[in-house]
Amino acid sequence: MDVEPEPYGNIIERMLRFVDKFALYMSVSISMMFINGALLGGKKLGNKDAPLFVTCFQCFVTAIACHVVSSINQCCPETKVPQLEPSKIKRVLPLTINFMLMIAANNFTLKFLGIAFYNIGRSLAIVFTSILTYFILGQKTSPLVILTLCVVVSGFFMGVNEENASGSLSVVGAVLGIMSSAIAALYSIVIKKVLPVVDNSVFILSYYNNVLATVMFIPAILLTGEGPAVYEMITNGTLHFWVLMTCSGLFGFAIGYVSTLQVKVTSPLTHNISGTSKNCVQTVMATTFFNESKSGLWWVSNLLVLTGSACYTLAKQRELRQGHALEQQQQKHQHQQGQQQRSHLSLHVSPTYSNFALVDDKIVGSSPINMDLSPSYPKFVLGSTPSTPTVN
């Protein structure tokens, strides 16, 4: 019977599912970036420039979106919005502060660097992830991964140098890019320790983070002097402006779901490579849309960052596989050693026995029979389970 068309059909089906999820991830992520770029336009916004309020409103919309999803999908406990518990709030709060700093730094980086240079400005996140993983978790990095990180760092500094040469570099934006990269790396490590507090539910943790961040951003908005700008937005904001504000929050909520969906359909490796591809398309679209002219070395710096990031993902995946294979070998070796010790123990029988005889090279007798072993071994009771020795 001919069965070859079935595997071919399965491959086509998997490819179509990947393309579908990849296109969804690309459209949501790039749309969110351009909407945020419009809302964080700096001087173009005039007296409506309030980046912290924009960030706070995004958190508010995300929290509302969690309630909407929970009410629609009531039969799924994974998306059920819980009541905020004081004990959990206390334990989640440090992560929420990290979360606030991360999204605020990301938005400020976008505000000062723009969409085209944002990819380079935020490229050091994987570098800080490796550094913090070593100092916090004690995990070493392979030489191959370090080599890919060096490629990313060289691309970052080349891009900063070319942006400075063209006169469009924002030093504040570059510093914020480095800070946001470090904060994002710290968040990716700390979140692993906090997830058990919320039963390892990313949805519940997202709800906690966004609700708490919405409340905590309010005093920050007042302290930074954004009050007048917020008042101007509320009183004179157009329908188009509020639609953009709402969409930015909805896309912020959607990107988490779409990323998880893509990882589920493909793999974390494929998702990371998709993110690298997205950054490439995003940079080209930004320079084309805003009619920005860049030098050849500027594009080389982007290529170094993208290539280094992609190679880092591949090298890290290889490193994880080797670590997993080594762990399996160690477990197998320990299991074999345990079997050898049990065999060795059973062979060291004392020549003095009672109540049994040797028949056809087998020890036989009534049960139970006390059997004395050599002085270097404990006494066993024949008839009990081998794993429960009775020691003299």
Side-chain angles (χ1 to χ4, degrees), residues 6-18:
E6 183 177 342
Y8 179 78
N10 290 337
I11 293 174
I12 295 297
E13 183 181 352
R14 287 197 298 269
M15 289 179 61
L16 290 176
R17 286 194 324 190
F18 165 72

Side-chain angles (χ1 to χ4, degrees), residues 105-124:
N106 286 347
N107 282 347
F108 273 102
T109 301
L110 181 60
K111 171 184 171 67
F112 286 100
L113 292 184
I115 300 175
F117 195 64
Y118 180 81
N119 178 45
I120 296 180
R122 286 277 283 103
S123 61
L124 297 182

Side-chain angles (χ1 to χ4, degrees), residues 44-243:
K44 298 177 183 179
L45 297 176
N47 57 358
K48 295 181 181 179
D49 184 18
L52 282 182
F53 174 71
V54 172
T55 308
C56 177
F57 191 81
Q58 290 173 342
C59 294
F60 172 74
V61 173
T62 301
I64 297 298
C66 288
H67 275 283
V68 173
V69 171
S70 178
S71 61
I72 294 175
N73 197 16
Q74 293 182 355
C75 60
C76 182
E78 296 179 356
T79 58
K80 183 180 180 181
V81 171
Q83 291 184 347
L84 298 178
E85 301 178 20
S87 59
K88 291 185 178 181
I89 290 176
K90 184 178 180 180
R91 298 177 65 182
V92 172
L93 191 59
L95 181 69
T96 300
I97 295 174
N98 193 331
F99 171 75
M100 291 174 59
L101 294 174
M102 180 182 67
I103 58 176
N106 286 347
N107 282 347
F108 273 102
T109 301
L110 181 60
K111 171 184 171 67
F112 286 100
L113 292 184
I115 300 175
F117 195 64
Y118 180 81
N119 178 45
I120 296 180
R122 286 277 283 103
S123 61
L124 297 182
I126 58 176
V127 178
F128 283 110
T129 299
S130 297
I131 294 174
L132 293 176
T133 299
Y134 174 75
F135 284 104
I136 296 177
L137 303 179
Q139 296 179 0
K140 296 183 180 180
T141 303
S142 66
L144 182 59
V145 173
I146 294 176
L147 179 62
T148 63
L149 295 177
C150 290
V151 175
V152 173
V153 172
S154 63
F156 171 80
F157 282 106
M158 180 183 290
V160 169
N161 183 65
E162 287 302 305
E163 195 79 359
N164 184 46
S166 64
S168 57
L169 176 67
S170 169
V171 177
V172 175
V175 173
L176 285 171
I178 296 174
M179 290 177 57
S180 64
S181 298
I183 295 170
L186 180 62
Y187 182 83
S188 66
I189 295 174
V190 176
I191 191 175
K192 298 178 182 179
K193 298 182 178 181
V194 180
L195 268 173
V197 177
V198 291
D199 301 324
N200 292 311
S201 173
V202 177
F203 181 84
I204 295 177
L205 182 60
S206 175
Y207 177 72
Y208 266 86
N209 275 338
N210 283 281
V211 170
L212 295 176
T214 301
V215 176
M216 295 171 65
F217 266 126
I218 295 175
I221 290 170
L222 297 177
L223 290 174
T224 54
E226 289 189 4
V230 173
Y231 177 79
E232 184 69 21
M233 287 180 177
I234 295 175
T235 55
N236 298 322
T238 63
L239 177 63
H240 176 260
F241 171 78
W242 287 110
V243 168

